[in-house]
Amino acid sequence: MYLSQAAEACPASQPDLADEIGAALAEVGPPAAAVAALERAIALRPDAGHEKYMYLGQVLGGEAGLAALRRGVALLEADAAGAQTGGDAGDAADA
């Protein structure tokens, strides 16, 4: 599958692309490929982008999936808190 190849070839300097490939694989790819791509996206930028954790939680299921979902919710809450105070909590992670 081309998405799996893209996930493997995605450069570390493109964490947004890694997030998108992981999300696409979660939607249409084999679960094992989706998990691998999402885990790579998380490794590239663990403190930004709640979506990859939400997708990973859905694909994994069980306790591991619940842990991923909780991490995604925590990032989403941090982003919301930053937006309420006029800042963007994701900016620090992007720096």
Side-chain angles (χ1 to χ4, degrees):
M1 171 179 264
Y2 293 117
L3 284 173
S4 296
Q5 293 170 345
E8 292 172 8
C10 183
S13 62
Q14 297 292 323
D16 288 334
L17 180 59
D19 289 358
E20 294 301 322
I21 293 170
L25 279 167
E27 292 288 342
V28 299
V35 168
L38 291 163
E39 287 178 342
R40 181 161 190 275
I42 288 168
L44 292 176
R45 195 171 50 179
D47 296 325
H50 70 278
E51 297 92 348
K52 60 188 159 220
Y53 289 98
M54 301 307 219
Y55 277 113
L56 183 61
Q58 291 174 353
V59 174
L60 287 175
E63 290 298 317
L66 185 56
L69 289 169
R70 286 183 176 140
R71 177 68 177 136
V73 169
L75 286 175
L76 186 58
E77 288 173 338
D79 286 346
Q84 289 177 353
T85 61
D88 182 4
D91 285 348
D94 291 338

